[in-house]
Amino acid sequence: MQHPVNVFTGKIKDYQGSRPSAIAKLQLEGELMLTALGLDGDEQADTSYHGGPDRALCHYPREHYAHWKTMFPEQAALFFAPAFGENLSTEGLTERNVFIGDIFRWGNALIQVTQPRSPCFKLNFHFSISDMSSQMQASGRVGWLYRVITGGKVNVDAPLELVSRNSDVSVLDAAAIAWHMPFDDEQYRRLMSATGLSASWTRTMQNRRTSGKIEDYSRRLRDK
């Protein structure tokens, strides 16, 4: 099945009193260059949470915006793509039916799902909602990230098409294992066995297994 996609990129700028961010993105048309680090012209201000080969593209399901408009009616006018800083926006693909390791064809390019998107505190500033990142994480409506297997020129008119499924761990499963379960070594091993999982998530799960503890990710969500 093919999924039409809208495409966005952004530049780093000072944003609403927070640290520099490239979350504000603009829609693109025509032909683009896709490299191992993402779309030409797209920037990331904080590479500890964003960017790099395993996080080259961010995808957010467009249908989630209806949920956020209902949750925050006073900010409803803000909830439209690409408000969550996504590069790719579609309907019909969600965390429930997209799996870690899935490979999609996008024109002549191939991209692979590597991990759920880890919400960070800049979303709180972006929407003027003090716990937006925490609510996003709790809801499971987080989107996901890709690595680029085969890059080159891509046209925004080219749809996404699933060509290979390589694990039984959905993006929603991965998010639940990471953020919504007590310490569970069996589930950590299940997630680590998912072909295509990002190096950072593999390292985090292994660190949990070694230490017997779940790391504190509150600073990512609140910058405190």
Side-chain angles (χ1 to χ4, degrees):
M1 184 175 180
Q2 295 184 337
H3 298 271
V5 59
N6 291 339
V7 185
F8 310 90
T9 63
K11 298 288 189 182
I12 297 169
K13 63 179 183 178
D14 289 333
Y15 196 76
Q16 293 189 0
S18 74
R19 297 174 183 175
S21 175
I23 192 171
K25 297 187 185 297
L26 298 174
Q27 187 167 355
L28 301 177
E29 302 293 341
E31 195 171 67
L32 310 168
M33 179 60 69
L34 179 64
T35 73
L37 295 179
L39 289 164
D40 189 32
D42 195 44
E43 297 179 349
Q44 298 83 32
D46 186 349
T47 56
S48 61
Y49 299 135
H50 309 289
D54 280 350
R55 301 178 294 196
L57 294 168
C58 177
H59 188 146
Y60 198 70
R62 194 152 58 243
E63 49 265 57
H64 288 346
Y65 282 103
H67 167 81
W68 297 118
K69 288 178 181 179
T70 300
M71 288 290 294
F72 301 105
E74 292 184 0
Q75 287 96 344
L78 301 176
F79 289 112
F80 61 91
F84 284 96
E86 62 265 37
N87 300 117
L88 306 181
S89 173
T90 60
E91 292 183 354
L93 295 171
T94 73
E95 296 82 0
R96 295 180 182 275
N97 61 16
V98 173
F99 289 70
I100 301 299
D102 278 0
I103 296 175
F104 288 87
R105 179 177 290 112
W106 183 22
N108 293 324
L110 293 173
I111 57 178
Q112 183 175 40
V113 177
T114 58
Q115 64 174 77
R117 186 249 188 94
S118 300
C120 80
F121 65 90
K122 289 184 180 178
L123 293 166
N124 305 338
F125 292 100
H126 188 57
F127 292 109
S128 297
I129 298 170
S130 62
D131 63 345
M132 186 68 216
S133 58
S134 295
Q135 294 214 35
M136 184 179 175
Q137 181 167 296
S139 76
R141 296 174 175 87
V142 294
W144 55 90
L145 305 180
Y146 295 98
R147 69 169 55 90
V148 176
I149 296 177
T150 303
K153 291 183 179 179
V154 294
N155 195 294
V156 299
D157 293 329
L160 293 181
E161 182 179 8
L162 180 67
V163 295
S164 178
R165 173 147 293 160
N166 298 291
S167 86
D168 66 352
V169 180
S170 70
V171 173
L172 190 64
D173 289 341
I177 292 168
W179 301 319
H180 306 307
M181 292 183 181
F183 188 94
D184 190 326
D185 188 68
E186 183 177 351
Q187 288 297 323
Y188 298 156
R189 286 189 285 110
R190 177 183 173 225
L191 180 52
M192 289 172 63
S193 72
T195 299
L197 185 69
S198 70
S200 63
W201 272 55
T202 299
R203 185 166 55 251
T204 295
M205 295 305 112
Q206 186 57 54
N207 287 342
R208 290 186 185 185
R209 298 185 67 221
T210 300
S211 68
K213 299 177 181 178
I214 297 175
E215 74 286 351
D216 180 7
Y217 45 73
S218 61
R219 188 172 184 273
R220 166 172 59 81
L221 296 172
R222 298 189 294 271
D223 191 32
K224 293 180 181 178

